[in-house]
């Protein structure tokens, strides 16, 4: 199963991808996570991408396409993958098509996470990320059991640098100018499915259970995932 999660920053793509990667038995490939990993290194690539990520602008297409080409050549992507935060421009979408064509593969489904601007701002403002394992939380919607500490690994939780107010505004602008046109690009191909991502995470998850069931996706695990306390109703 080859999936793309499309939508604005803060729509909840990463949150769902982390759940579904286990159930579908395929890797979650987030270009944002990969770039943050690169930023930990002292390398030429790190120095090249840093100013773009810091300002909330898009990293040049050639760099992203090279990163994706390397990642999709790994054996763990053979039966499928969940792309999150990529593609973000028409050039990236076309580059991905060419790449997959060369591998005799194609995208099965693009999930568009439709989200209001108010929700995006509220979610990014409250997002907390574990500095050790990368697990996502939200101050109100999905708080950790112990303040500032990751439930999973005990790591320290902090706000992402680019989730600060000024950068968030820039990222939304960039999304509207450069990424939103991909909705029509994939709709025209007949592989776009829109989900209402304004709903809380458990509701979005349930919608995906129904959708994947209808599409006959092969689930590795049939257990119903309970996001439970980590939903917006507890805000
Ligand atoms: P994206 O990967 O699209 O940028 P995330 O999955 O990181 O978005 O979610 C952004 C923030 O919103 C996180 O703090 C996450 O805990 C929270 N969140 C994710 N999905 C939902 C949802 N459906 N309802 C409320 N909060 C959510
Ligand atoms: P994300 O974690 O998806 O919100 O991405 C964080 C930042 O990484 C973005 O604001 C961009 O600077 C950069 N980035 C992530 N994915 C891409 C991409 N596909 N194309 C260009 N830049 C990207």
């Amino acid at each position: 199963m080859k999936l793309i999660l499309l939508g604005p920053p803060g729509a909840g793509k990463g949150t769902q991808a982390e759940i579904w990667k286990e159930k579908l038995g395929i890797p979650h490939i987030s270009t944002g996570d990969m770039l943050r990993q690169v930023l930990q290194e002292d390398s030429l690539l790190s120095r090249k991408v840093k100013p773009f990520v810091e300002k909330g602008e898009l990293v040049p297409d050639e760099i992203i396409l090279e990163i994706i080409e390397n990642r999709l050549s790994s054996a763990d992507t053979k039966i499928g993958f969940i792309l999150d935060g990529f593609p973000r421009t028409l050039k990236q979408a076309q580059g991905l098509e060419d790449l997959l064509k060369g591998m005799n593969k194609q995208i099965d489904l693009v999930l568009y996470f439709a989200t209001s601007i108010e929700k995006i701002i509220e979610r990014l403002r409250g997002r907390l990320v574990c500095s050790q394992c990368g697990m996502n939380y939200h101050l109100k919607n999905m708080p950790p059991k112990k303040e500032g500490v990751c439930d999973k690994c005990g790591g320290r939780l902090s706000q992402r640098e680019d989730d600060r107010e000024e950068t968030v505004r820039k990222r939304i602008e960039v999304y509207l100018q450069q990424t939103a046109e991909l909705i029509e690009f994939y709709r025209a191909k007949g592989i776009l499915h829109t989900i209402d991502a304004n709903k809380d995470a458990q509701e979005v998850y349930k919608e995906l259970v129904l959708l994947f069931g209808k599409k006959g996706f092969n689930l590795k695990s049939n257990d119903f995932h309970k996001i439970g306390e980590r939903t917006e109703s507890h805000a």
Side-chain angles (χ1 to χ4, degrees), residues 11 15 30 43 50 56 58 64 88 93 122 125 132 137 152 161 165-166 172 201 228:
T15 301
S30 154
S43 65
K50 194 167 184 240
L58 294 186
I64 295 291
R88 258 172 152 105
E122 187 260 330
R125 190 180 277 154
Q132 254 167 244
Y137 295 85
K152 205 167 126 194
E161 286 291 328
E165 207 84 35
E166 329 74 73
I172 294 174

Side-chain angles (χ1 to χ4, degrees), residues 24-235:
L24 296 168
I26 51 180
H28 167 203
I29 301 178
S30 154
T31 40
D33 286 349
M34 289 164 92
L35 289 168
R36 281 182 287 280
Q37 196 69 41
V38 166
L39 289 176
Q40 303 290 313
E41 307 158 3
D42 178 23
S43 65
L44 182 63
L45 180 61
S46 169
R47 284 189 288 280
K48 265 196 202 164
V49 303
K50 194 167 184 240
F52 296 100
V53 177
E54 274 180 356
K55 282 187 255 166
E57 289 170 4
L58 294 186
V59 169
D61 293 330
E62 312 74 63
I63 297 182
I64 295 291
L65 281 166
E66 198 179 328
I67 291 177
I68 281 290
E69 184 167 4
N70 283 335
R71 184 62 186 90
L72 293 186
S73 65
S74 299
D76 67 334
T77 64
K78 207 169 167 195
I79 61 158
F81 45 78
I82 306 174
L83 291 174
D84 160 15
F86 173 88
R88 258 172 152 105
T89 62
L90 266 181
K91 198 162 167 215
Q92 290 182 16
Q94 270 143 7
L96 176 66
E97 273 197 356
D98 294 344
L99 188 65
L100 292 178
K101 210 178 272 166
M103 300 164 110
N104 230 349
K105 290 179 180 173
Q106 60 184 29
I107 295 295
D108 299 294
L109 182 63
V110 178
L111 292 173
Y112 165 45
F113 282 57
T115 325
S116 69
I117 301 274
E118 295 75 38
K119 286 279 180 194
I120 299 172
I121 293 173
E122 187 260 330
R123 288 182 189 170
L124 294 182
R125 190 180 277 154
R127 173 158 65 183
L128 293 171
V129 181
C130 175
S131 51
Q132 254 167 244
C133 72
M135 177 96 177
N136 252 339
Y137 295 85
H138 189 281
L139 269 174
K140 285 197 211 152
N141 308 341
M142 304 186 206
K145 291 198 180 85
K146 193 170 163 211
E147 199 183 319
V149 180
C150 178
D151 295 350
K152 205 167 126 194
C153 75
R156 193 178 56 84
L157 304 182
S158 59
Q159 188 184 41
R160 262 171 55 177
E161 286 291 328
D162 60 350
D163 279 348
R164 293 179 200 281
E165 207 84 35
E166 329 74 73
T167 325
V168 163
R169 247 177 269 127
K170 178 72 190 170
R171 287 162 68 209
I172 294 174
E173 188 189 310
V174 166
Y175 169 78
L176 293 173
Q177 282 174 356
Q178 302 188 57
T179 308
E181 61 187 341
L182 293 184
I183 301 166
E184 288 314 316
F185 177 83
Y186 286 116
R187 202 195 305 277
K189 292 186 183 293
I191 53 172
L192 188 90
H193 182 93
T194 302
I195 50 168
D196 180 0
N198 285 320
K199 292 183 180 161
D200 76 34
Q202 187 75 47
E203 290 301 313
V204 174
Y205 169 73
K206 279 193 212 157
E207 197 173 325
L208 292 180
V209 171
L210 291 178
L211 175 69
F212 292 167
K214 250 192 247 161
K215 298 229 170 244
F217 281 17
N218 228 341
L219 295 191
K220 235 181 131 192
S221 136
N222 271 319
D223 302 345
F224 192 75
H225 189 95
K226 183 89 181 79
I227 299 176
E229 288 169 45
R230 306 183 70 207
T231 66
E232 220 155 30
S233 55
H234 289 250

